[in-house]
Amino acid sequence: KHNRTIGQKAILGQNLRNYQTSNLTLKKNAEFPGLLGRPSSYTTTFEFKGGPEDVAKNVFPIYQILNSDGEIVNEKGYDYVKKHMSDDKLVDIYEQMVKLEIMDFVLYNAQRQGRVSFYMTNYGEEATHLGTASALDDTDDIFAQYREAGVLMYRGFTIDEFLAQCFSTVDDPAKGRQMPVHYGKPSLHFQTISSPLATQIPQAAGAGYALKREGKDNVCACYFGDGAASEGDFHAALNFAATLEAQTLFLCRNNGYAISTPTDEQYRGDGIVARGPGYGIPSMRVDGNDFFAVFEATHKAREMSIKHKTPVLLEYMSYRIGHHSTSDDSSRYREQNEIDFWKQEYSPINRMRKYLMERDLWTMEREEEIKKATKKDVLRAVSQAERAQKAPYDELVTDVFDKVPEHLQEAPYDELVTDVFDKVPERAQKAPY
């Protein structure tokens, strides 16, 4: 090997270069199983991706049809909505926004007067409720968080039913076992709300998977806030939904605050929507104060989910005008002028009103009539709920156990709740049947 001629060495060198080039060509496209068959190439450039600069360069846009002045800025989107919704329907939607606002006003003050133990308002997020509800089919199952009363109202949940739940009367389907505003009604395909944050998200992923397996033309709509998206349940749910190809719509209401925690203390990425592509989920950001944009985005997301057997993530950008709940004082972490700005400039109700009045579909006189009638109806329901019989205590665990254990039966059970009755005498009543 040490006596090769110059020609032989040249030939060996050329063969080596050919071999190296050939292997570089073979290895140009990486084929690791973790890439799921997607094309990826090797690189000699050392670079981290996804830092603050990359995020700032690739911010998701906010889809809009109706601007804050009530003007149509997207004719194509507007035509799509109008194809599915008449002027009369739009007026009906607006009336429900106004009714929801008035119900919130009365029940918030009722709590402050000590007439109900707890309440959560929906101020500023009405378009996310009615826009999504009207885009879904009434047989689509809903897993809500706790600020979606407008969705239930759209599906026919009455003022009396809202009050029966908040006051834990004998007419409450949950039999008084839940905190106020934890609504639910099986016939309306609205799953009962749970207090623990984000538990509904993985449940909705499973429900969407069941719809796919059953071959149904329905979706499961799951509502949650930006704060709930910080829970581990959110990430597990999106990954399950993506890999199982669940027919689930993940509907995030990004209203700026998780109770008292502002979004700039919750995440450094591009909000919630940017997390979708990481799980392989089609995602979109929408103006949550624009009813038209919310409707179109939700309607098309539903069609996509059913047709392509895929979850979809929608982030509705909005603002929580009210306190998080009656247990919260938002003046401790935000200025009143901030609230006033959003209420005056970006309120979904104001925006919708401008649109309707510009087309002579609405008047302030009619609005005052709706407000007065709704207030009267809610006050009537409050008075009625206060006088109504409370949910019976002897059914507290009847839907928990197949057979109630002996230690919770009759006499021992009475002793167990005696302390409660001493504090709240009106609760000391059994079922009337």
Side-chain angles (χ1 to χ4, degrees):
K1 66 180 180 181
H2 296 291
N3 296 319
R4 290 176 181 151
T5 65
I6 294 176
Q8 288 175 321
K9 290 180 179 179
I11 292 172
L12 285 171
Q14 184 61 48
N15 288 341
L16 179 61
R17 285 191 294 275
N18 288 341
Y19 173 80
Q20 291 172 332
T21 302
S22 173
N23 276 272
L24 283 173
T25 302
L26 288 172
K27 295 183 178 179
K28 183 176 181 180
N29 293 319
E31 297 179 354
F32 296 105
L35 293 173
L36 305 182
R38 300 186 181 100
S40 183
S41 60
Y42 292 101
T43 180
T44 56
T45 302
F46 186 87
E47 181 183 24
F48 289 107
K49 291 184 178 293
E53 293 183 359
D54 285 341
V55 172
K57 292 177 183 176
N58 298 285
V59 175
F60 273 73
I62 305 172
Y63 185 71
Q64 187 182 72
I65 296 175
L66 186 73
N67 68 17
S68 58
D69 294 322
E71 301 167 339
I72 298 298
V73 294
N74 177 350
E75 291 294 340
K76 184 178 180 181
Y78 177 66
D79 290 342
Y80 182 88
V81 177
K82 287 296 294 178
K83 185 172 68 173
H84 295 85
M85 197 161 291
S86 66
D87 285 343
D88 288 343
K89 184 64 174 178
L90 290 173
V91 170
D92 178 64
I93 291 288
Y94 181 71
E95 285 188 3
Q96 292 186 61
M97 288 186 181
V98 174
K99 288 179 180 178
L100 178 59
E101 183 182 41
I102 296 302
M103 184 180 79
D104 278 346
F105 174 80
V106 174
L107 291 182
Y108 177 85
N109 284 287
Q111 193 282 333
R112 288 296 188 244
Q113 296 165 4
R115 302 168 77 178
V116 66
S117 63
F118 178 83
Y119 193 71
M120 302 182 81
T121 64
N122 304 274
Y123 298 139
E125 301 182 56
E126 295 87 356
T128 64
H129 299 194
L130 280 302
T132 55
S134 56
L136 296 170
D137 188 89
D138 286 344
T139 59
D140 291 333
D141 282 308
I142 289 176
F143 286 76
Q145 186 159 309
Y146 42 59
R147 207 184 304 278
E148 289 86 20
V151 179
L152 257 179
M153 182 177 285
Y154 179 85
R155 289 199 170 184
F157 205 68
T158 67
I159 295 295
D160 288 302
E161 288 178 304
F162 280 115
L163 271 294
Q165 197 284 322
C166 287
F167 282 81
S168 297
T169 76
V170 71
D171 295 320
D172 174 20
K175 303 178 182 179
R177 299 164 177 160
Q178 288 271 40
M179 288 177 61
V181 308
H182 287 50
Y183 311 113
K185 190 170 185 179
S187 63
L188 297 180
H189 296 268
F190 194 99
Q191 303 297 320
T192 302
I193 293 168
S194 300
S195 289
L197 193 63
T199 55
Q200 78 278 13
I201 309 179
Q203 293 166 0
Y209 178 49
L211 291 172
K212 175 207 169 185
R213 292 198 55 167
E214 293 170 359
K216 290 188 175 181
D217 290 336
N218 285 100
V219 297
C220 175
C222 179
Y223 294 82
F224 55 94
D226 47 278
S230 296
E231 294 283 343
D233 284 355
F234 167 83
H235 299 278
L238 264 65
N239 198 42
F240 269 116
T243 56
L244 297 174
E245 300 174 338
Q247 291 169 208
T248 304
L249 303 187
F250 294 104
L251 310 178
C252 176
R253 299 174 291 94
N254 191 334
N255 62 22
Y257 290 91
I259 307 183
S260 60
T261 305
T263 49
D264 62 1
E265 294 180 18
Q266 291 185 60
Y267 52 74
R268 283 294 180 270
D270 183 21
I272 311 304
V273 67
R275 302 174 190 178
Y279 291 105
I281 295 178
S283 306
M284 184 177 184
R285 175 174 282 158
V286 183
D287 182 349
N289 292 347
D290 174 1
F291 167 82
F292 292 88
V294 172
F295 174 87
E296 183 187 5
T298 309
H299 196 269
K300 288 184 175 179
R302 183 182 186 277
E303 292 180 338
M304 176 190 292
S305 182
I306 295 172
K307 180 178 180 180
H308 299 290
K309 311 302 178 188
T310 179
V312 181
L313 171 63
L314 296 175
E315 181 182 27
Y316 306 113
M317 307 306 290
S318 188
Y319 185 82
R320 193 195 77 213
I321 291 176
H323 304 295
H324 172 74
S325 71
T326 50
S327 300
D328 173 47
D329 178 8
S330 64
S331 67
R332 299 184 64 179
Y333 53 84
R334 59 180 180 175
E335 299 295 331
Q336 184 60 44
N337 58 6
E338 174 185 322
I339 301 171
D340 292 341
F341 170 78
W342 282 95
K343 186 174 183 179
Q344 295 165 11
E345 299 295 328
Y346 287 97
S347 163
I349 292 181
N350 291 348
R351 190 181 304 197
M352 192 73 162
R353 184 193 304 118
K354 291 175 184 177
Y355 167 85
L356 294 174
M357 292 184 70
E358 179 66 24
R359 289 158 180 77
D360 295 325
L361 297 172
W362 193 257
T363 64
M364 290 308 299
E365 289 76 18
R366 183 173 179 180
E367 181 152 333
E368 287 305 312
E369 290 175 2
I370 293 293
K371 287 182 176 181
K372 288 180 180 178
T374 302
K375 185 176 181 180
K376 181 179 180 180
D377 192 28
V378 177
L379 287 172
R380 172 203 58 77
V382 168
S383 178
Q384 181 175 307
E386 286 180 315
R387 298 193 306 269
Q389 186 176 6
K390 296 298 181 182
Y393 77 83
D394 57 337
E395 289 198 344
L396 184 61
V397 296
T398 53
D399 296 320
V400 178
F401 302 97
D402 177 48
K403 182 178 180 181
V404 179
E406 290 185 7
H407 72 283
L408 291 179
Q409 292 180 13
E410 206 51 42
Y413 191 62
D414 287 343
E415 295 173 8
L416 183 68
V417 296
T418 296
D419 184 54
V420 176
F421 295 159
D422 288 341
K423 296 177 181 177
V424 192
E426 66 269 22
R427 304 295 294 189
Q429 50 195 4
K430 294 188 177 183
Y433 39 81

